[in-house]
């Protein structure tokens, strides 16, 4: 709701309380590693659902890219999707939902699709992957999926791929 103000605890107290139920599931060392890793998410339908759950486990640093805008047909596959968000950038919508769960996140936004080179409507894979420590791929374009996978393998960046065709995933 626009115009609503809420009081939020300082960063340390907020994270201590918000992540307190994870302490028996995720070790302190793992939480520390997750909080320092830069997670890049390409495609915010399936990738957005994964990313939102990562926020809830303590991941703090994200690079997100998606050139789409939310439409009515997205309502059944986007975490937190509402009719009031129809027409909004997927990147802006996901970032707002993530920041509502943890206002102390670092999110680098690319409201563009991925491609080999920058253009007015795309962000280059090189720019997208520059600071990435782990990549979640959930884009629709098969050629971009292939290029992103090859780039991650060459750079030694772990990659989780999600494809809408079938019921499987690939982890490199």
């Amino acid at each position: 709701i626009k115009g609503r103000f809420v009081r939020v605890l300082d960063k340390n107290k907020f994270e201590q309380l918000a992540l307190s139920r994870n302490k028996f599931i995720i070790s302190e060392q793992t939480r520390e590693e997750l909080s320092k890793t830069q997670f890049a998410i390409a495609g915010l339908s399936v990738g957005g659902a994964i990313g939102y759950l990562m926020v809830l486990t303590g991941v703090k640093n994200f690079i997100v890219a998606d050139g789409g805008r939310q439409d009515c047909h997205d309502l059944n596959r986007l975490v937190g999707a509402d009719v009031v968000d129809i027409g909004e950038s997927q990147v802006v919508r996901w970032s707002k939902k993530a920041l509502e769960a943890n206002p102390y996140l670092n999110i680098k936004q690319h409201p563009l699709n991925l491609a080999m080179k920058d253009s007015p409507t795309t962000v280059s894979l090189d720019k997208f992957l520059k600071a990435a420590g782990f990549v979640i791929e959930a884009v629709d374009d098969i050629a971009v999926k292939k290029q992103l996978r090859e780039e991650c393998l060459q750079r030694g960046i772990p990659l989780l791929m999600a494809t809408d065709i079938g019921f499987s995933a690939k982890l490199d």
Side-chain angles (χ1 to χ4, degrees):
I1 300 171
K2 288 186 177 184
R4 183 171 67 178
F5 293 93
V6 294
R7 181 177 175 270
V8 179
L9 296 170
D10 69 60
K11 184 178 180 180
N12 291 333
K13 288 179 183 173
F14 177 86
E15 289 176 357
Q16 184 180 16
L17 287 172
L19 303 175
S20 64
R21 291 185 177 222
N22 296 343
K23 68 182 175 184
F24 299 112
I25 302 168
I26 302 171
S27 72
E28 184 66 36
Q29 179 183 352
T30 301
R31 273 193 308 231
E32 189 66 27
E33 288 175 28
L34 287 173
S35 74
K36 291 179 180 176
T37 302
Q38 189 83 344
F39 285 85
I41 304 173
L44 290 172
S45 58
V46 173
I50 295 166
Y52 188 77
L53 293 173
M54 294 168 66
V55 169
L56 301 180
T57 61
V59 173
K60 299 176 190 173
N61 302 298
F62 293 92
I63 306 164
V64 294
D66 192 312
R69 297 197 163 278
Q70 182 169 322
D71 203 341
C72 189
H73 64 260
D74 295 317
L75 293 175
N76 71 337
R77 63 190 192 116
L78 298 173
V79 171
D82 299 306
V83 293
V84 297
D85 297 324
I86 290 175
E88 187 165 45
S89 158
Q90 297 280 36
V91 166
V92 170
R93 186 206 57 81
W94 183 87
S95 297
K96 283 194 315 190
K97 297 294 182 188
L99 288 164
E100 287 172 0
N102 182 347
Y104 299 106
L105 299 177
N106 301 307
I107 304 173
K108 181 163 180 63
Q109 301 177 339
H110 296 288
L112 305 165
N113 289 319
L114 295 176
M116 288 307 290
K117 296 181 181 177
D118 279 336
S119 79
T121 59
T122 62
V123 63
S124 71
L125 291 175
D126 188 52
K127 186 183 286 184
F128 179 71
L129 295 172
K130 195 170 196 164
F134 192 101
V135 175
I136 296 163
E137 179 281 317
V139 298
D140 297 331
D141 186 316
I142 297 297
V144 172
K145 283 179 177 296
K146 183 177 183 266
Q147 293 168 343
L148 184 57
R149 182 173 185 268
E150 289 171 3
E151 287 290 322
C152 287
L153 288 172
Q154 285 178 0
R155 298 169 191 233
I157 302 170
L159 168 70
L160 175 67
M161 298 181 75
T163 303
D164 308 77
I165 48 177
F167 295 98
S168 62
K170 181 164 179 55
L171 178 63
D172 283 324

